[in-house]
Amino acid sequence: GNSVTQMEGPVTLSEEAFLTINCTYTATGYPSLFWYVQYPGEGLQLLLKATKADDKGSNKGFEATYRKETTSFHLEKGSVQVSDSAVYFCALIPYNTDKLIFGTGTRLQVFP
Amino acid sequence: EAGVAQSPRYKIIEKRQSVAFWCNPISGHATLYWYQQILGQGPKLLIQFQNNGVVDDSQLPKDRFSAERLKGVDSTLKIQPAKLEDSAVYLCASSSRTGTTEAFFGQGTRLTVV
């Protein structure tokens, strides 16, 4: 079946540290891949997406590359800020469907 | 552009009572989702509508949960009777038709069953 696996959190970093949150997926065909972010007290919002192999999604300094060979979509940021503290969800939409499937989320805590 | 509207924001009920949540998607969005997010977990899809038809309700506990989307716009999700394990945030989201388009989420309804 279709599923998403994320690294467990929380991930605790100091400000300006490098961030990687791992995400791997299982899906038939070529799914679309997404990272959503949930800031404290707010709803889910799209951070970035990639719709085909080798695409790189980017937004607000975050990047993720669609790697078909390793079925991965790891989230990276070169220098995190306190304001990046949130829960990050990796998600996919299987090919030829509208069904959005989420991973379990990874909490990021950034300290000054 | 107005976002996805949900109400109420918070609800506390006793077990075995009934409760209903309301969602108004973004205008023109044909696809509407209801998700259940239990504390510490990722959102789990309960039901997906395409206009006013159900596309997927495989994870909806149909003995107690029901949902409808009359006229293909607003939607309601009902739980009757509620159980303690139904305590969660219920998220509504909408998107345009294609599978690569992002889903826009409302702020959710936090349900506490006591």
Side-chain angles (χ1 to χ4, degrees):
Chain A
N2 301 296
S3 66
V4 177
T5 303
Q6 288 183 240
M7 63 187 291
E8 290 194 17
V11 173
T12 304
L13 296 173
S14 297
E15 207 165 24
E16 299 183 4
F18 183 84
L19 168 71
T20 300
I21 299 178
N22 290 338
C23 170
T24 57
Y25 67 89
T26 301
T28 53
Y30 292 85
S32 296
L33 302 174
F34 304 81
W35 277 100
Y36 279 81
V37 58
Q38 190 171 36
Y39 296 104
E42 299 185 15
L44 282 162
Q45 55 187 276
L46 180 68
L47 181 60
L48 54 83
K49 70 177 184 181
T51 58
K52 59 183 187 293
D54 300 324
D55 265 3
K56 178 184 284 187
S58 61
N59 186 25
K60 300 181 181 180
F62 291 89
E63 293 182 340
T65 302
Y66 189 143
R67 301 287 188 197
K68 179 69 176 176
E69 61 277 11
T70 54
T71 62
S72 65
F73 193 55
H74 304 321
L75 183 68
E76 296 182 336
K77 187 175 186 182
S79 176
V80 294
Q81 305 300 311
V82 173
S83 57
D84 293 327
S85 298
V87 181
Y88 293 81
F89 293 92
C90 187
L92 67 82
I93 294 180
Y95 176 73
N96 214 28
T97 77
D98 293 328
K99 186 174 182 178
L100 183 58
I101 298 168
F102 285 90
T104 53
T106 303
R107 180 175 299 278
L108 170 66
Q109 296 174 322
V110 181
F111 294 95
Chain B
E1 167 179 87
V4 176
Q6 288 188 248
S7 67
R9 286 294 311 277
Y10 306 93
K11 190 73 176 179
I12 301 174
I13 61 172
E14 294 182 350
K15 59 183 179 184
R16 292 187 289 275
Q17 286 187 323
S18 63
V19 64
F21 313 127
W22 174 82
C23 173
N24 186 19
I26 292 173
S27 177
H29 280 191
T31 303
L32 185 147
Y33 309 86
W34 281 103
Y35 285 87
Q36 180 192 58
Q37 187 177 14
I38 293 173
L39 185 65
Q41 299 181 18
K44 182 184 85 171
L45 180 67
L46 292 175
I47 189 167
Q48 178 184 344
F49 291 94
Q50 184 66 27
N51 295 308
N52 61 349
V54 175
V55 174
D56 186 335
D57 63 357
S58 57
Q59 297 196 83
L60 187 74
K62 299 181 185 63
D63 58 333
R64 297 184 301 107
F65 286 64
S66 64
E68 60 182 9
R69 190 182 184 197
L70 299 176
K71 301 180 182 178
V73 182
D74 292 9
S75 178
T76 56
L77 176 69
K78 297 179 181 178
I79 307 175
Q80 182 179 13
K83 293 185 176 181
L84 295 177
E85 58 261 36
D86 298 332
S87 295
V89 176
Y90 290 84
L91 299 167
C92 180
S94 70
S95 72
S96 57
R97 179 62 179 88
T98 65
T100 61
T101 304
E102 73 174 285
F104 293 84
F105 284 80
Q107 289 195 294
T109 297
R110 181 176 297 278
L111 173 67
T112 303
V113 182
V114 298

